[in-house]
């Protein structure tokens, strides 16, 4: 079980993990209960800040925070061939909860959530690819005042309202990453993409490239991340442009491992919002200092 309490949610405690595991064989595990949705390379230890160099992973790539857990089951098979160690994970479940989008809450139901994740490693190199899909439904009201309600209202007036009301419409998420770590130098590149049959949420792609160098107890790291929306054509695309996003970020940071369970971190992030909700954005620098503990 993993319990999470966030200041952004009034410190309400929720179960990120709450599952049981059955070891069917020495190489096959079956889990049932509340599971972490395995969208990203760092998904399994996203809440364990000690496990990575940043204070928090780049939010441009590591989005979908409200969908990070689901109720369901998975099967993980471990296998090897030659010098390659691999795991393949199949999972299925569902999600029903309020999700914050564009600053407002929406009731979101994801039915028939399923996916497959393949991890492979050989020596200092590793790779991960995954595919996830679900049927998406939302409580949109074209006469409402929330941002996505207004978008659906504009689509209704333009005669394409059905394209903007998700009712078990398919959404898919793709991920691929490669990494290298020889104990002192590490590099990771990760790419993701969201594709929706419903036009209420824009398709997008995002990626990051991060390198780190360990020098004793100090690690210096540099990351570049970027994302952009993929707009559909015609009248639907013209309406989607009102919610278009495009931005990039550069993160320079350092980590000091005080001991085997405590790390002090400093991040400096330059963020460039080229487009925000279809308009010109802004840029700025965020300075962050943090400490990560494990016990």
């Amino acid at each position: 079980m993993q319990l999470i309490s966030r200041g952004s949610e009034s410190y309400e405690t929720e179960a990120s993990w709450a599952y049981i595991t059955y070891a069917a064989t020495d190489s096959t595990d079956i889990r049932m209960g509340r599971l972490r949705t395995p969208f990203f390379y760092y998904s399994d230890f996203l809440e364990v800040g000690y496990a990575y160099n940043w204070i928090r992973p780049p939010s441009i790539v590591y989005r979908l925070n409200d969908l990070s857990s689901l109720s369901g089951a998975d099967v993980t098979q471990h296998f090897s061939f030659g010098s390659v160690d691999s795991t393949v994970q199949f999972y299925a479940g569902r999600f029903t909860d309020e999700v914050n989008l564009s600053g407002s809450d929406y009731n979101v139901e994801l039915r028939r959530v399923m996916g497959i994740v393949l991890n492979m490693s050989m020596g200092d190199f590793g790779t991960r690819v995954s595919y996830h899909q679900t049927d998406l439904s939302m409580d949109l009201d074209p006469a409402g005042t929330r941002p996505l309600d207004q978008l659906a209202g504009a689509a209704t007036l333009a005669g394409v309202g059905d394209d903007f009301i998700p009712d078990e419409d398919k959404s898919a998420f793709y991920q691929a990453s490669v990494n290298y770590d020889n104990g002192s130098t590490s590099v990771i590149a990760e790419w993701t993409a969201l594709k929706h049959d419903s036009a209420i949420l824009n398709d997008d792609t995002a990626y990051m490239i991060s390198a780190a160098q360990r020098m004793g107890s100090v690690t210096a790291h540099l990351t570049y991340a970027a994302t952009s929306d993929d707009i559909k054509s015609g009248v639907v695309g013209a309406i989607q442009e009102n919610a278009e996003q495009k931005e990039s970020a550069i993160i320079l940071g350092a980590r000091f491992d005080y001991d085997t369970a405590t790390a002090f971190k400093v991040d400096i992030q330059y963020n460039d919002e080229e487009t925000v909700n279809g308009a010109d954005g802004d840029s700025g620098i965020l300075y962050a200092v943090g400490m990560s503990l494990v016990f």
Side-chain angles (χ1 to χ4, degrees):
M1 178 179 292
Q2 182 185 64
L3 301 178
I4 301 296
S5 181
R6 306 179 191 278
S8 59
E9 298 175 2
S10 302
Y11 295 99
E12 294 183 4
T13 302
E14 63 177 16
S16 178
W17 284 342
Y19 61 83
I20 59 173
T21 302
Y22 171 65
T25 69
D26 289 342
S27 58
T28 306
D29 293 329
I30 302 172
R31 301 188 302 173
M32 293 173 287
R34 182 76 168 171
L35 305 173
R36 171 73 66 179
T37 315
F39 287 133
F40 306 103
Y41 176 83
Y42 289 103
S43 283
D44 282 348
F45 40 95
L46 197 59
E47 305 296 348
V48 185
Y50 188 83
Y52 42 79
N53 293 320
W54 312 280
I55 292 177
R56 62 184 65 84
S59 59
I60 286 177
V61 177
Y62 278 69
R63 54 221 191 275
L64 307 177
N65 290 337
D66 289 340
L67 307 178
S68 60
S69 298
L70 79 160
S71 299
D74 70 5
V75 178
T76 301
Q77 178 69 42
H78 304 264
F79 60 95
S80 299
F81 49 94
S83 59
V84 179
D85 296 321
S86 305
T87 63
V88 59
Q89 174 189 9
F90 301 92
Y91 76 93
R94 68 179 301 166
F95 172 95
T96 303
D97 205 347
E98 281 193 348
V99 172
N100 189 278
L101 298 168
S102 302
S104 296
D105 292 331
Y106 302 85
N107 291 320
V108 172
E109 181 180 17
L110 304 181
R111 301 185 64 186
R112 292 177 286 277
V113 184
M114 62 186 68
I116 180 172
V117 182
L118 173 65
N119 281 286
M120 294 188 295
S121 63
M122 182 178 64
D124 298 333
F125 295 90
T127 185
R128 181 186 194 271
V129 292
S130 65
Y131 171 77
H132 318 260
Q133 71 173 47
T134 187
D135 294 330
L136 167 68
S137 299
M138 295 175 62
D139 67 329
L140 293 184
D141 179 6
T145 59
R146 297 172 301 179
L148 296 187
D149 290 338
Q150 294 176 343
L151 202 65
T156 300
L157 292 174
V160 291
D162 289 345
D163 292 339
F164 284 78
I165 305 295
D167 183 12
E168 297 195 11
D169 290 347
K170 179 182 174 182
S171 291
F173 184 79
Y174 306 81
Q175 180 271 346
S177 63
V178 292
N179 63 283
Y180 168 82
D181 191 338
N182 67 1
S184 58
T185 302
S186 62
V187 180
I188 181 170
E190 185 165 17
W191 169 89
T192 65
L194 268 169
K195 304 295 180 184
H196 306 284
D197 283 354
S198 173
I200 195 64
L201 300 174
N202 290 352
D203 296 347
D204 69 23
T205 56
Y207 67 91
M208 73 168 184
I209 302 173
S210 183
Q213 181 65 43
R214 302 182 185 92
M215 298 161 286
S217 60
V218 176
T219 301
H221 58 91
L222 178 65
T223 302
Y224 177 78
T227 183
S228 61
D229 285 356
D230 302 318
I231 304 299
K232 300 183 188 300
S233 60
V235 175
V236 170
I239 296 172
Q240 285 188 317
E241 287 178 354
N242 293 289
E244 184 178 4
Q245 310 283 336
K246 184 176 183 180
E247 61 179 311
S248 61
I250 299 173
I251 305 171
L252 175 64
R255 165 187 177 139
F256 170 64
D257 288 289
Y258 177 73
D259 57 29
T260 56
T262 307
F264 297 96
K265 303 179 183 181
V266 177
D267 285 357
I268 302 173
Q269 176 173 324
Y270 171 76
N271 207 78
D272 181 16
E273 298 174 333
E274 183 175 331
T275 305
V276 177
N277 294 328
D280 291 340
D282 207 342
S283 61
I285 298 178
L286 172 67
Y287 301 90
V289 178
M291 178 175 66
S292 296
L293 302 170
V294 290
F295 52 88

